[in-house]
Amino acid sequence: MTTPDLLEVGRIDKAHGLRGEVVVTLTTNRLERVAPGSQLHTDRGPLTVVASRPHQQRWVVQFADVTDRDEAERLRGLRLDAEPLDDADELWVHELIGCEVLDSDDVGRGVVELVEANPASDLLVLDTGHLVPIRFVVGRPEGGRVRIEAPDGLFDA
């Protein structure tokens, strides 16, 4: 069973081949999540990565004790969770969720409900319906607030 302290890092899409490998779509850019020895958590218990390799825009992963296609098929659709990483130089999605967004004039612009992946820049989705590119975030969240430097007109619509 997953715990609330764990973060979603990917999902098992399907079996790959006959030897128990699976195709995984990562929802993180931290590739150490699929490095050999990494432990990922699922609703069915932990899985330990034995080997992984890139495959198109996904990863082919071999987990310990998953040795054939039938076992791999039983993992299809499982969400993969992991412990948060401790890296002070990174801005983490789980730290932004629930933060009040303040602009450079200390005007509250809403609360971050989720962070939506976007090719140009991930977007903060605010409870007001506004979308704020994450590149406008300045500094780290503090006291349940995050500051942004947004261009004029961003909140006019």
Side-chain angles (χ1 to χ4, degrees):
M1 185 83 168
T2 58
T3 66
D5 296 339
L6 298 176
L7 305 174
E8 181 176 346
V9 297
R11 187 165 299 278
I12 297 175
D13 295 330
K14 61 182 181 175
H16 181 81
L18 301 174
R19 297 185 183 148
E21 294 178 314
V22 294
V23 176
V24 170
T25 297
L26 290 178
T27 56
T28 177
N29 64 351
R30 301 300 295 250
L31 301 183
E32 63 261 50
R33 298 301 196 178
V34 289
S38 295
Q39 190 169 58
L40 301 172
H41 303 271
T42 74
D43 287 338
R44 297 186 198 160
L47 295 170
T48 302
V49 177
V50 174
S52 67
R53 65 184 183 279
H55 177 68
Q56 297 165 357
Q57 261 99 52
R58 299 181 288 181
W59 288 81
V60 172
V61 178
Q62 178 74 58
F63 292 111
D65 303 322
V66 180
T67 57
D68 64 37
R69 185 172 184 89
D70 289 337
E71 291 174 12
E73 276 295 335
R74 286 192 280 279
L75 301 177
R76 178 190 293 261
L78 284 181
R79 181 175 126 168
L80 300 171
D81 297 319
E83 301 283 336
L85 297 173
D86 187 18
D87 186 341
D89 294 331
E90 291 287 338
L91 187 61
W92 300 103
V93 169
H94 68 278
E95 295 175 332
L96 295 169
I97 304 298
C99 282
E100 180 183 11
V101 174
L102 300 174
D103 66 16
S104 55
D105 295 325
D106 282 338
V107 174
R109 296 301 188 162
V111 175
V112 179
E113 290 186 328
L114 64 101
V115 177
E116 186 175 296
N118 186 321
S121 176
D122 289 349
L123 300 169
L124 303 179
V125 179
L126 306 185
D127 62 350
T128 59
H130 289 101
L131 302 175
V132 178
I134 203 165
R135 66 174 186 240
F136 296 149
V137 172
V138 290
R140 305 200 48 78
E142 286 185 33
R145 295 180 172 162
V146 65
R147 298 199 176 277
I148 62 167
E149 287 183 9
D152 291 338
L154 182 66
F155 294 100
D156 290 346

